Amino acid sequence: MQAPIHESLILPGEVALVPVADFPQETLSQLSFEPGDVAITRARSRTPTRIISGDLAGLLREFSSANTVIEAILLYSVKNGYDPREMLENAYPFLLQMVGEQLLVPAGKDGEPENAGHPQRGDQIGGYTIEQVLHSLLDTELYQVRDNEGKIYALKAAKENGSDLISHVIKHEADVLRYLDGTAVPRLITEGAFNGLPFLVMEWCPGVTADEAAQELRESSDISDRAKLARLCFAIIEAYAALHDRQTIHGDVHPRNIIIDADGQVRIIDFGLARVFNEQHELTEPYRGGVSFFCEPEFCAASLAHQNPPRADLKSEQYGLAALIYYLISGANYLDFSLEEEVLWRQILSDDPLPFAHHGQAPWPALEAVLHRALSKAPQDRYDSVADFGDALKEAAEHHTGESFTLAAVMPSERSGDDYVAGILERLDWDGRLYNEGLPRPPYASIEYGAAGIAYFLYRAACTRDDARLLALADLWAAKAERLAVEENAFTDPSIDVTFDVIGRISPFHSRSGLFMLRFLIAQANGDEMVQAMALAAFVNEAAQGCGEIDVTLGTAGVLLNCAILYELLPDEERAHDSGLLDLGSRVYRELWEKIVGDEAISQTAELTNLGAAHGWAGILYAILQWSATTSAELPDEFEARLQQLAGRAQYVGRGMRWPWDLDHQQLTFMPGWCNGSAGYVFLWTAAFRMFGDQEYLDLALRAGWNAWEGGGPSVSLCCGLAGRAYALLNLYRQTEDEEWLEKARELGRRAAVLSERSTAEQFEGFENSLYKGQVGVATLLVDLEDPQFAAMPFFEGLKRA
C-alpha cells in the first residue's frame, strides 16, 4: 500500500496517544521505553497497542485535522526546528505503516474520516431498519435492527473500507452459525449483500458481556456472590463444551465474545475465526487470530519464529478458557502482561500464572490449582477436554470457605448504613447548627431542596423505627419550612434556573402544596385528626390553582399523583366526606387526559417530547394509572394505546431496556436514573401490570429494572442517581417477591452511601441537605431499606397507611 503524499489524511477520533509515563507503575515495570515515549492505540481495532517516540507522536498529532503528509511534515518541522526533507525521509516509512494499519485514514470533503457517513439509526440494510449502532470496527459494524414486524435482531456488515478477508470472515461466520443451529450461539436468520458487501442477520441475544457480569459479582458486598461467580464460569465452560461436542472450535476466546442474559444463560458470539472439524461439513479453514492475552503458548512460539500459527484445537481453546476464567474471577489477567506484543508472547511461553493474592484477591488454592493445570505450557499437560476442565473447576469450588472476594473491600466504607443515617440525624438535630442557622443556600423551604425535604426524611425514619423523638423532630423541621415559606427564595433560586416561571406554583415538589401534604403525613402519624383535616384542606386549596405545565415534578400530573397518595391514606369513612380531594383529583384527571389525548403517536407529538418520569410521558401516564387504581376512576379507551406507543420507543441494551430522554434531539440520550431514565419506567410498568394483568408490562418493568441496575454514572441522588435507582429495584422486589432485586437495591444503597461520604459540599453544589439532590435522599433510602416492604419513593409512590 502506498501512502498518498498529496492526499489529505486524518487521525480518527478513536486513536489515542497516551504518554507512557502516565501508565500505572505495575504496567511501567513490564515495558521497555525511553523518556517521552507515547503509546498509540485505536479503540475497536484489532491493531495492538504500540509504543512510539515522542517525535513521531507529535507528527501524528498534526493529523488531528486533515493534512497531507507534506503539510504535516512542514508544520511539525517548523514548530520544532527540524529539516523538513530529513524529517520526510525518516518519518515516511512510519507514516506508510500508519496508513496500512488504518491509524491514519483518508479525509473526506468535510475534513472528517472518509467513512464517517456509515449507516445510522433509521437507515435500512437489506430490509431491516437500524435501531442503534452497537459496535463500529475498522472493517465491520454491528447493528441492532428491527424487521417490518418490529422484531429485534443483530446485523453484522462489512464496511466499504474493509478488506476481502473481512468479506470472507463474515461469510464464514454465517456458515458456522448455520451449522451450529443455535447450540450456545445466536441463530442465523439470513445473510445477504448490501451495496455489494456481505452482511448476516442473527437472533438478538439480550445480556451483558462476561466481564460485565463477573464485575458485578466481584464488586458485590455479599460474600455468597463468589459462589455465583463460580457458577457463571461453569456455565461458560459448559457452553464451550457444547460447541466442542458439535466439533466446533470458537477460536476467539474473549470476555466480550460471551453474552450472559438475565437468567444466566450463556451465548457465544463472533464466529469469524471458528473452525469446524466435522468432515461431513466442509467449511473453509478460518484465519487464525484472537486477543493475545488469551492465546496459547503454541501460537506465541510460532509468532516469535515468524511461522504460520497452528490451527486452533481443543487444547488451545482450553488454555484460552483458563485465561478467561482466571480473569473473570480475579478481575486481572493471569500475568502482568506487557503492551509490547513480542514481550507478551515470551511471557506466555515462560512465566507461571500469578496467585490471586497478587491482585488483591482472597486466595482460592483448589481453584487456582485447576487453572494452573489448564494453563500448562505443554498441551499434553492440560486436561483431556474442556468438559474435564469444567468438572475439575466444580470440584475445586466445593473447597471454597465463603470468604469475600478481595483482601480489602472493593468500595470500603468507614461507616455502616446505620452509622451513615446516624450521622445525618446528628447533623439535623434540633440543637445543631443547621437547624438553628439555616440551610446554606436556597430554595430554603421546598420538598425537593429545602427544609420540608428534611422533615420528610425524619418522618420516614420515625415511622420505620417507631421513634417518637424523630417524629417530633420532623414536626419541628416541617414548622420551620412553613415559616420559611413566606420568605424570598423559599422555593426558588434564579442561579440554578429554579424560578416560578419554571416550577410554577402548584407542584408538591416545589411549592406550598408539598408542605401541606407533609403536614398531613406527620399529623396522621401523630394521630392528630384536626391538623390532618386542616392540612388536607390547605393542600386542596393550594394545588387547585392553575398551572401551564403538565408533568410530575412541575405541574398537574404531580398534583394528581399526590392526590392519589393522600386519598389512599384516608380511612374509608373519611373518603366519603372528603369531596374536596376527590373533586380536585377528578378534575385534574380529566384535564390532564384531555391535554395528552389525540391522534398523533407519542413519537410524533411536538408539544411533549420528553418521555421520562419527572417531566414526560412516563410520569403522566403513571399518575393517571395511580389515580385510577386508587379511586376506581375509569381509564380512557385510548390509555393502553398510549402505553403501547411508549413501550415501542424502548431500545434493547444489556439485559434490559432503556428509553430516550427526549425525542426532540438529533442524538438520543439515555440514563438509568429516575427523573429521565429507566428507573422511572419501573414504577409505570409495574402499575400497568397490576391494573391490566398483562405479563408484557411486567416484562417491561423487569427490563427497565435491569437497565437501572446496570447503568453507570457518578450521581447518588434520588433524582438522577443511585438512590432513585434503588427505589425502582425495591418496587420490583415488592412486585415480584424476588430477593435478588432486594439485594440489588441494598447494593445500590451501599454504593450511594460510600460515594456520598466521599463527596464534598462543592460536589453537591451546596445541596447536600436536599431530599432529591443530596445526602438526605440517600439517608431516606437507607431508612426505607430497613423495612423494604413499606419503602416508597418520596412523593411518587403510595404510602402504606400509618
Side-chain angles (χ1 to χ4, degrees):
M1 178 184 295
Q2 294 296 314
I5 287 183
H6 300 292
E7 183 177 350
S8 289
L9 301 172
I10 192 167
L11 197 68
E14 311 93 70
V15 173
L17 296 167
V18 183
V20 175
D22 292 349
F23 286 11
Q25 188 59 45
E26 59 270 23
T27 303
L28 291 177
S29 65
Q30 300 293 324
L31 299 177
S32 299
F33 66 97
E34 300 294 331
D37 280 357
V38 172
I40 178 172
T41 185
R42 178 168 183 172
R44 306 186 300 276
S45 169
R46 296 180 179 88
T47 303
T49 298
R50 67 175 70 250
I51 295 175
I52 60 176
S53 70
D55 272 336
L56 290 177
L59 176 59
L60 278 180
R61 289 190 179 98
E62 297 297 340
F63 293 97
S64 296
S65 56
N67 275 314
T68 66
V69 170
I70 296 296
E71 289 169 339
I73 292 285
L74 285 172
L75 285 168
Y76 189 70
S77 299
V78 169
K79 289 178 183 177
N80 295 278
Y82 295 143
D83 181 336
R85 294 186 180 182
E86 184 177 341
M87 172 63 74
L88 177 60
E89 182 178 344
N90 292 334
Y92 185 76
F94 167 74
L95 295 177
L96 180 64
Q97 183 181 18
M98 293 296 98
V99 172
E101 294 180 356
Q102 294 187 321
L103 294 171
L104 280 177
V105 299
K109 294 179 181 179
D110 57 358
E112 295 296 321
E114 203 170 61
N115 197 49
H118 54 73
Q120 294 293 328
R121 185 177 185 277
D123 293 341
Q124 285 210 339
I125 295 179
Y128 293 87
T129 303
I130 296 174
E131 282 292 303
Q132 57 176 317
V133 180
L134 299 172
H135 301 293
S136 181
L137 296 171
L138 293 176
D139 42 27
T140 59
E141 287 193 305
L142 183 66
Y143 304 98
Q144 183 185 90
V145 297
R146 287 184 188 267
D147 64 11
N148 292 332
E149 297 179 355
K151 193 170 182 180
I152 292 288
Y153 300 96
L155 185 150
K156 181 183 287 188
K159 292 171 74 169
E160 290 184 7
N161 62 343
S163 64
D164 291 339
L165 173 62
I166 293 303
S167 293
H168 168 79
V169 166
I170 287 182
K171 292 176 181 177
H172 177 76
E173 179 168 11
D175 290 339
V176 174
L177 291 177
R178 185 181 297 106
Y179 165 74
L180 289 171
D181 193 26
T183 302
V185 302
R187 293 185 184 277
L188 178 71
I189 303 302
T190 189
E191 59 180 318
F194 179 73
N195 292 338
L197 297 169
F199 70 84
L200 60 89
V201 180
M202 299 167 284
E203 174 188 8
W204 175 256
C205 298
V208 293
T209 57
D211 52 340
E212 292 171 323
Q215 183 178 1
E216 280 182 11
L217 295 170
R218 288 196 310 271
E219 292 184 351
S220 170
S221 57
D222 185 350
I223 63 173
S224 68
D225 280 348
R226 199 173 209 195
K228 294 179 184 177
L229 181 53
R231 290 197 294 273
L232 170 66
C233 293
F234 304 155
I236 291 171
I237 294 296
E238 288 172 352
Y240 272 87
L243 283 188
H244 295 175
D245 286 345
R246 293 293 307 272
Q247 296 84 46
T248 303
I249 307 294
H250 181 217
D252 197 6
V253 174
H254 186 269
R256 303 193 74 79
N257 280 343
I258 300 167
I259 302 298
I260 313 297
D261 73 9
D263 297 322
Q265 182 179 356
V266 174
R267 296 289 187 92
I268 305 167
I269 61 172
D270 208 346
F271 280 79
L273 306 182
R275 175 176 163 242
V276 175
F277 53 94
N278 185 334
E279 295 179 357
Q280 297 179 356
H281 293 267
E282 295 185 8
L283 297 182
T284 57
E285 190 66 23
Y287 166 76
R288 185 72 206 276
V291 177
S292 296
F293 298 156
F294 305 95
C295 288
E296 76 283 5
E298 306 91 277
F299 178 93
C300 299
S303 299
L304 285 168
H306 303 289
Q307 299 173 349
N308 289 330
R311 296 193 302 181
D313 60 22
L314 297 173
K315 290 296 183 78
S316 69
E317 190 123 288
Q318 181 185 150
Y319 189 97
L321 284 169
L324 172 73
I325 298 304
Y326 184 107
Y327 177 79
L328 295 180
I329 292 177
S330 71
N333 290 305
Y334 67 97
L335 297 172
D336 287 336
F337 284 120
S338 169
L339 290 181
E340 297 179 72
E341 193 161 50
E342 289 194 2
V343 176
L344 182 152
W345 289 336
R346 291 192 181 94
Q347 288 177 292
I348 292 174
L349 280 171
S350 62
D351 294 356
D352 292 328
L354 296 164
F356 283 179
H358 176 81
H359 306 297
Q361 296 287 329
W364 199 339
L367 189 138
E368 290 180 63
V370 172
L371 292 175
H372 281 221
R373 179 176 172 184
L375 289 167
S376 295
K377 306 301 179 186
Q380 63 271 20
D381 294 336
R382 300 168 200 156
Y383 291 94
D384 291 339
S385 68
V386 163
D388 289 346
F389 170 41
D391 290 341
L393 277 177
K394 288 182 180 179
E395 184 178 351
E398 294 177 0
H399 294 278
H400 170 55
T401 58
E403 64 269 19
S404 62
F405 278 103
T406 54
L407 299 175
V410 176
M411 293 179 64
S413 175
E414 296 179 359
R415 303 189 297 168
S416 68
D418 287 344
D419 290 339
Y420 182 94
V421 173
I424 301 296
L425 289 172
E426 182 179 359
R427 183 199 303 175
L428 303 178
D429 213 346
W430 68 271
D431 58 353
R433 179 177 177 180
L434 199 63
Y435 181 80
N436 290 287
E437 297 183 13
L439 297 174
R441 62 169 299 176
Y444 296 115
S446 68
I447 291 290
E448 179 144 342
Y449 289 101
I454 291 173
Y456 179 83
F457 156 64
L458 294 167
Y459 155 77
R460 290 299 293 170
C463 292
T464 299
R465 298 180 175 185
D466 195 20
D467 189 321
R469 184 182 184 280
L470 287 178
L471 191 59
L473 186 58
D475 208 352
L476 284 174
W477 274 97
K480 187 177 184 69
E482 290 164 3
R483 291 194 301 272
L484 289 169
V486 299
E487 296 186 6
E488 185 179 5
N489 290 340
F491 301 102
T492 61
D493 182 356
S495 71
I496 57 171
D497 202 29
V498 176
T499 64
F500 284 122
D501 287 341
V502 173
I503 63 173
R505 295 180 181 275
I506 65 169
S507 165
F509 294 89
H510 295 284
S511 79
R512 289 166 58 90
S513 69
L515 274 59
F516 295 131
M517 180 167 178
L518 173 68
R519 174 58 67 191
F520 174 91
L521 297 176
I522 295 173
Q524 189 176 67
N526 272 319
D528 191 331
E529 295 181 1
M530 182 176 295
V531 174
Q532 285 183 65
M534 293 173 61
L536 189 62
F539 171 84
V540 170
N541 182 65
E542 193 73 24
Q545 301 178 51
C547 176
E549 299 297 331
I550 64 172
D551 65 36
V552 163
T553 55
L554 304 178
T556 51
V559 169
L560 180 63
L561 183 55
N562 282 273
C563 283
I565 294 172
L566 285 169
Y567 193 79
E568 189 173 26
L569 289 172
L570 291 176
D572 293 339
E573 62 273 14
E574 291 186 23
R575 289 181 178 179
H577 303 293
D578 179 55
S579 59
L581 183 64
L582 185 60
D583 287 349
L584 171 64
S586 299
R587 175 173 63 79
V588 172
Y589 178 73
R590 292 191 300 271
E591 292 175 354
L592 190 59
W593 182 253
E594 288 173 0
K595 289 184 178 180
I596 65 170
V597 72
D599 296 330
E600 290 180 319
I602 284 176
S603 60
Q604 299 170 329
T605 55
E607 292 185 2
L608 183 61
T609 59
N610 189 295
L611 300 185
H615 301 293
W617 282 97
I620 293 168
L621 295 177
Y622 173 70
I624 291 171
L625 263 178
Q626 292 297 86
W627 180 254
S628 175
T630 303
T631 66
S632 300
E634 185 176 355
L635 285 170
D637 293 338
E638 303 94 328
F639 185 81
E640 274 210 88
R642 285 301 196 203
L643 284 178
Q644 292 297 323
Q645 290 165 12
L646 186 59
R649 302 307 304 170
Q651 187 180 90
Y652 286 84
V653 61
R655 287 165 288 193
M657 282 178 164
R658 62 186 183 182
W659 280 259
W661 182 326
D662 196 306
L663 296 177
D664 192 26
H665 291 90
Q666 186 69 26
Q667 185 70 36
L668 298 180
T669 55
F670 304 86
M671 66 176 294
W674 168 79
C675 56
N676 291 298
S678 307
Y681 286 88
V682 170
F683 301 95
L684 169 65
W685 299 127
T686 56
F689 173 69
R690 289 191 297 271
M691 176 63 72
F692 300 107
D694 189 332
Q695 181 66 32
E696 177 191 356
Y697 294 126
L698 183 57
D699 290 343
L700 288 168
L702 292 168
R703 292 191 181 278
W706 274 111
N707 191 248
W709 164 250
E710 292 170 359
S715 174
V716 303
S717 71
L718 283 179
C719 180
C720 309
L722 289 164
R725 290 157 57 187
Y727 270 112
L729 303 191
L730 283 172
N731 180 283
L732 275 179
Y733 160 65
R734 292 192 303 277
Q735 180 63 59
T736 64
E737 299 183 351
D738 185 343
E739 294 283 337
E740 288 289 335
W741 291 115
L742 176 57
E743 290 307 313
K744 284 178 168 57
R746 286 174 172 156
E747 181 65 23
L748 292 188
R750 182 186 72 87
R751 294 180 194 174
V754 171
L755 294 175
S756 166
E757 285 194 319
R758 294 177 182 175
S759 300
T760 64
E762 289 75 20
Q763 288 171 306
F764 280 112
E765 299 179 326
F767 292 123
E768 63 271 21
N769 299 302
S770 161
L771 176 63
Y772 259 81
K773 304 292 185 181
Q775 293 172 317
V776 170
V778 175
T780 305
L781 167 68
L782 295 177
V783 164
D784 271 348
L785 280 166
E786 295 174 13
D787 193 358
Q789 287 290 353
F790 291 87
M793 182 77 174
F795 287 75
F796 189 72
E797 273 189 286
L799 293 161
K800 301 295 183 182
R801 293 187 187 182

